[in-house]
Coordinates of all heavy atoms in Angstrom, one line a residue:
F158 N 53.3 88.3 34.4 CA 53.6 86.9 34.8 C 53.6 85.9 33.7 O 54.5 85.2 33.5 CB 52.6 86.4 35.9 CG 52.5 87.3 37.1 CD1 51.5 88.1 37.4 CD2 53.6 87.3 38.0 CE1 51.4 88.9 38.5 CE2 53.6 88.1 39.2 CZ 52.5 88.9 39.4
K175 N 57.5 84.2 35.6 CA 57.9 84.4 37.0 C 56.7 83.9 37.8 O 55.6 83.8 37.3 CB 58.2 85.9 37.2 CG 57.0 86.8 36.9 CD 57.3 88.3 37.3 CE 57.5 88.5 38.8 NZ 57.5 89.9 39.1
P176 N 57.0 83.6 39.1 CA 55.9 83.1 39.9 C 54.7 84.0 40.0 O 54.9 85.3 40.1 CB 56.6 82.9 41.3 CG 58.0 82.7 41.0 CD 58.3 83.6 39.8
P177 N 53.5 83.6 39.9 CA 52.3 84.4 39.9 C 51.9 85.1 41.2 O 50.8 85.0 41.7 CB 51.2 83.5 39.4 CG 51.6 82.2 39.9 CD 53.1 82.1 39.9
F178 N 52.9 85.7 41.9 CA 52.7 86.4 43.2 C 53.4 87.7 43.1 O 54.5 87.8 42.6 CB 53.2 85.5 44.3 CG 52.6 84.1 44.4 CD1 53.4 83.0 44.1 CD2 51.3 83.9 44.7 CE1 52.9 81.7 44.2 CE2 50.7 82.7 44.8 CZ 51.5 81.6 44.5
L179 N 52.8 88.7 43.8 CA 53.4 90.0 43.7 C 54.4 90.4 44.7 O 55.4 91.1 44.5 CB 52.2 91.1 43.8 CG 51.4 91.3 42.5 CD1 50.2 92.2 42.8 CD2 52.3 91.9 41.4
T180 N 54.2 89.9 46.0 CA 55.0 90.4 47.1 C 56.4 89.9 47.0 O 56.7 88.7 46.6 CB 54.3 90.0 48.4 OG1 54.4 88.5 48.5 CG2 52.9 90.5 48.5
P181 N 57.4 90.7 47.5 CA 58.8 90.2 47.5 C 59.0 89.0 48.3 O 59.8 88.1 47.9 CB 59.5 91.4 48.1 CG 58.6 92.6 47.9 CD 57.2 92.1 48.0
Y183 N 57.0 86.4 48.8 CA 56.5 85.3 48.0 C 57.5 85.0 46.9 O 57.8 83.8 46.6 CB 55.1 85.5 47.4 CG 54.0 85.0 48.3 CD1 53.7 85.6 49.5 CD2 53.3 83.9 47.9 CE1 52.7 85.1 50.3 CE2 52.3 83.4 48.6 CZ 52.0 84.0 49.8 OH 50.9 83.4 50.6
E184 N 57.9 86.0 46.2 CA 58.8 85.8 45.0 C 60.1 85.2 45.5 O 60.7 84.2 44.9 CB 59.1 87.1 44.4 CG 59.9 87.0 43.1 CD 60.0 88.3 42.3 OE1 59.3 89.3 42.7 OE2 60.7 88.4 41.3
Y221 N 47.5 83.4 49.7 CA 47.6 84.6 48.8 C 46.3 84.9 48.2 O 45.9 86.1 48.1 CB 48.7 84.3 47.8 CG 49.0 85.5 46.9 CD1 50.0 86.4 47.3 CD2 48.4 85.7 45.7 CE1 50.4 87.4 46.5 CE2 48.7 86.8 44.9 CZ 49.7 87.6 45.3 OH 50.1 88.7 44.5
Q225 N 43.6 88.2 48.4 CA 43.1 88.9 47.2 C 41.6 88.8 47.0 O 41.0 89.2 46.0 CB 43.8 88.5 46.0 CG 45.3 88.9 45.9 CD 45.8 88.6 44.5 OE1 45.8 87.5 44.0 NE2 46.4 89.6 43.9
M325 N 50.7 94.4 51.8 CA 51.9 94.2 50.9 C 51.5 94.1 49.5 O 52.2 94.7 48.6 CB 52.7 93.0 51.4 CG 53.3 93.1 52.7 SD 54.5 94.5 52.8 CE 55.7 94.0 51.5
I326 N 50.4 93.4 49.2 CA 49.9 93.3 47.8 C 49.5 94.7 47.3 O 49.9 95.1 46.1 CB 48.8 92.3 47.7 CG1 49.2 90.9 48.0 CG2 48.1 92.4 46.3 CD1 48.1 89.9 48.1
T329 N 52.6 96.8 46.6 CA 53.3 96.4 45.4 C 52.5 96.8 44.2 O 53.1 97.2 43.2 CB 53.5 94.8 45.4 OG1 54.1 94.4 46.6 CG2 54.3 94.4 44.2
E330 N 51.2 96.6 44.2 CA 50.4 97.1 43.1 C 50.5 98.6 42.9 O 50.6 99.1 41.7 CB 48.9 96.7 43.3 CG 48.7 95.2 43.2 CD 47.2 94.8 43.5 OE1 46.5 95.6 44.2 OE2 46.8 93.8 43.1
E333 N 53.8 99.3 41.3 CA 53.8 98.9 39.8 C 53.0 100.0 39.0 O 53.4 100.3 37.9 CB 53.2 97.5 39.7 CG 54.1 96.4 40.1 CD 53.7 95.1 39.7 OE1 52.5 95.0 39.2 OE2 54.4 94.1 39.9

Side-chain angles (χ1 to χ4, degrees):
F158 301 107
K175 60 179 291 190
F178 304 110
L179 281 174
T180 63
Y183 265 72
E184 188 172 353
Y221 187 88
Q225 289 189 307
M325 292 303 297
I326 292 174
T329 307
E330 289 175 340
E333 289 191 348

